[in-house]
Amino acid sequence: MARYRAPRGTFDILPEDWPYWNYVISKAREVAALYGYQEIETPIFESTSLFVRGVGEGTDIVDKEMYSFKDKGKTDLTLRPEFTAGVMRAYVEHGMHTRPKPVKLFSIGPLFRYERPQAGRFREFHQFNVEAIGSQDPALDFEIMSMAWQFLEELGFKGLSFQINSTGCPKCRPIYVEALKKYYMEHYDEICEDDKRRLERNPLRVLDCKNPKCQPVIAGAPKITDYLCDECRDHFSALRRYLDTAGKKYTLNHRLVRGLDYYTKTVFEVWAEGIGAQNAVCGGGRYDGLVEEIGGPPTPGVGFAVGIERVVMMLKAQGVKVPEPRAPEVFVAYLGESAKEEAVMLSQELRSEHISAILSFDKRGLKGQLRDANRWKAKYTIIIGEEEIARGEVTVRDMESGEQSNIERKTLIGWLREKLGKKS
Ligand code: HAM
């Protein structure tokens, strides 16, 4: 029994998981390049108040889930629970508004939320996060959604469902919220205690309630799309026109409100089959007031984030084949102590020639070494014994065909380079 275990809600990404992670991360970089997005890395912790202002008081993230602490200089800091607020902080801090707009940025990295862990929900998790900053154009909302779409589809997902909604703007949303509250007050006895609290703190979240008791009330609730101002309505219909013209299938989901306060107009999620209750692999939307909220100039923006753990779970569940890690090209085996020295030196020479090479350590007999070579799935095994050294030769076994040849030590590197198809 190990004395220490990874903290609850965290996990190790083991070597056998990395082919999946590398596959997802390289696809993220590939798609980002296709759409003209550049990478940005922000600190893992930021001022606590950045998230309180950005994500919003009354949201679950700020009220319950932040890893906040004072450092030794008594500064209030928080491990980032999401990327968007930090990326906007960097945008303002570095005066990025002078760059050609929209400024298109992506990030890949860990986030922290003190949530109740379950399948697909962790306390440390990772996102591929994308932001397009500085344009109100609904064509940019379309671009962002298309990018999420292409990323997930090219990973090999089946059964994706796109959910979209508009959450209006500070002009029209308050009118909707009043109508929603009024309706809920009329049904006060039919709703759960959580919803009664939500009505006070964050009324839109009642639409997201999973309690069976509340479902009939939600079904009859007023719809935000009936309350949108002209600007929000035009924006939403332009986006839907783009989606329709492109033949993208989506569900107009009146209950989709998202858990962060900064959203305006477009919100969307991508749900996937086969990963249980936590089925949102991607969430995003427009946040036209966020930069101003954190002290920058009025700047619109739109973006999304994909949860990498959920994507990896899905790839495994759907049996998607990912590229295997490359096996070593050469395994160097030795017979006896003086041959061992020769083997150690030869492995070093091979690596400096960019031929990947491994060997066994400690006292290991030839049989055991050959078993290691098989386990590593090396292409060739070189066997060095005292006799071979005396003859100035080595034995090379092609591990696939089993064919064995004696090669002059002097010509070995050239011989291997040719066999491995390496240019000299
Ligand atoms: P979010 O919906 O909170 O949005 O997170 C996006 C995705 O991150 C989720 O759909 C899910 O796949 C993954 N995720 C979230 N929490 C967890 C968790 N505890 N464990 C595992 N995966 C998780 C945002 O974070 C926004 N900042 C996205 C955005 C960018 N909006 C505009 N720009």
Side-chain angles (χ1 to χ4, degrees):
M1 225 349 225
R3 181 189 290 190
Y4 296 109
R5 302 179 72 88
R8 196 163 131 75
T10 71
F11 57 91
D12 304 302
I13 307 170
L14 297 173
E16 50 271 32
D17 296 319
W18 274 101
Y20 291 94
W21 282 73
N22 282 331
Y23 175 63
V24 175
I25 291 168
S26 58
K27 179 60 76 184
R29 294 216 159 89
E30 181 189 330
V31 171
L34 276 177
Y35 287 77
Y37 286 69
Q38 293 180 306
E39 192 151 3
I40 181 167
E41 170 114 26
T42 58
I44 285 181
F45 53 82
E46 299 264 6
S47 297
T48 297
S49 65
L50 173 70
F51 299 116
V52 174
R53 290 199 74 83
V55 177
E57 252 168 320
T59 60
D60 280 353
I61 293 181
V62 168
D63 286 4
K64 302 187 218 156
E65 296 171 0
M66 294 208 300
Y67 280 89
S68 298
F69 59 99
K70 269 191 203 305
D71 69 4
K72 294 195 194 313
K74 307 234 178 326
T75 309
D76 284 309
L77 297 169
T78 292
L79 300 186
R80 62 186 182 200
E82 61 115 39
F83 273 114
T84 313
V87 173
M88 294 312 124
R89 193 262 316 130
Y91 176 88
V92 175
E93 186 173 334
H94 301 287
M96 291 195 207
H97 59 279
T98 58
R99 300 182 186 201
K101 289 196 184 89
V103 175
K104 298 174 165 193
L105 303 170
F106 77 96
S107 310
I108 296 167
L111 296 311
F112 304 86
R113 295 183 192 174
Y114 187 79
E115 297 201 76
R116 200 166 44 78
Q118 53 175 273
R121 198 206 270 158
F122 308 98
R123 290 181 174 172
E124 181 185 25
F125 61 98
H126 298 72
Q127 285 181 347
F128 165 39
N129 183 81
V130 175
E131 313 290 359
I133 313 156
S135 167
Q136 298 249 25
D137 195 333
L140 189 58
D141 304 43
F142 171 72
E143 175 177 296
I144 279 285
M145 292 181 68
S146 304
M147 190 172 164
W149 212 299
Q150 186 166 356
F151 171 67
L152 293 167
E153 269 186 357
E154 287 192 5
L155 282 173
F157 276 95
K158 289 173 204 80
L160 291 175
S161 150
F162 270 77
Q163 308 281 316
I164 72 167
N165 195 14
S166 174
T167 52
C169 68
K171 259 194 301 184
C172 54
R173 190 187 308 137
I175 302 166
Y176 171 68
V177 169
E178 277 319 304
L180 184 68
K181 274 184 168 168
K182 182 164 171 284
Y183 166 83
Y184 262 76
M185 292 316 283
E186 286 158 11
H187 295 83
Y188 205 72
D189 297 338
E190 301 154 52
I191 60 174
C192 68
E193 292 306 309
D194 282 343
D195 272 357
K196 289 177 185 166
R197 268 193 300 278
R198 288 185 187 116
L199 278 181
E200 297 291 320
R201 296 281 291 165
N202 200 346
L204 283 180
R205 298 293 291 186
V206 296
L207 295 172
D208 211 19
C209 182
K210 304 284 182 302
N211 193 321
K213 173 180 172 177
C214 305
Q215 301 313 305
V217 185
I218 297 176
K223 296 183 174 65
I224 190 155
T225 41
D226 294 334
Y227 288 77
L228 297 178
C229 62
D230 289 349
E231 190 189 317
C232 289
R233 189 176 315 114
D234 290 349
H235 186 97
F236 198 43
S237 42
L239 168 63
R240 293 186 61 188
R241 234 180 1 259
Y242 284 123
L243 292 169
D244 292 338
T245 308
K248 305 275 190 212
K249 294 226 170 353
Y250 59 86
T251 304
L252 181 56
N253 181 344
H254 299 289
R255 295 177 55 174
L256 187 70
V257 288
R258 310 269 301 126
L260 304 97
D261 264 4
Y262 48 62
Y263 289 112
T264 52
K265 298 195 171 100
T266 314
V267 286
F268 70 97
E269 285 187 356
V270 185
W271 298 349
E273 289 168 2
I275 51 169
Q278 301 301 315
N279 65 346
V281 284
C282 171
R286 183 163 272 287
Y287 45 83
D288 291 345
L290 174 58
V291 175
E292 214 175 344
E293 184 67 38
I294 62 164
T299 311
V302 57
F304 71 83
V306 172
I308 300 182
E309 284 76 7
R310 291 187 193 173
V311 167
V312 167
M313 282 170 66
M314 172 76 46
L315 292 173
K316 289 181 176 172
Q318 293 190 353
V320 175
K321 290 268 172 287
V322 299
E324 290 214 16
R326 269 200 292 162
E329 289 163 315
V330 175
F331 187 93
V332 187
Y334 46 85
L335 208 71
E337 228 9 68
S338 61
K340 177 170 180 179
E341 190 174 315
E342 176 72 16
V344 171
M345 295 307 141
L346 174 59
S347 331
Q348 239 3 74
E349 189 184 339
L350 290 169
R351 294 163 187 155
S352 61
E353 293 289 334
H354 283 223
I355 296 172
S356 57
I358 50 167
L359 73 168
S360 301
F361 295 96
D362 303 313
K363 284 213 181 316
R364 198 117 172 89
L366 186 62
K367 241 187 170 167
Q369 293 181 57
L370 294 179
R371 260 202 308 273
D372 288 348
N374 270 324
R375 267 211 347 236
W376 280 101
K377 300 196 172 90
K379 276 205 188 75
Y380 292 98
T381 295
I382 295 177
I383 304 164
I384 308 177
E386 320 261 311
E387 279 171 33
E388 278 92 348
I389 295 177
R391 286 202 306 267
E393 281 183 354
V394 295
T395 303
V396 184
R397 180 185 293 179
D398 179 326
M399 298 299 278
E400 208 174 83
S401 66
E403 201 180 303
Q404 217 157 278
S405 6
N406 290 333
I407 309 288
E408 244 190 299
R409 173 67 179 83
K410 279 199 299 235
T411 59
L412 176 66
I413 302 283
W415 186 89
L416 278 171
R417 292 190 74 86
E418 199 181 306
K419 287 281 184 194
L420 294 167
K422 297 198 179 219
K423 287 193 204 94
S424 41

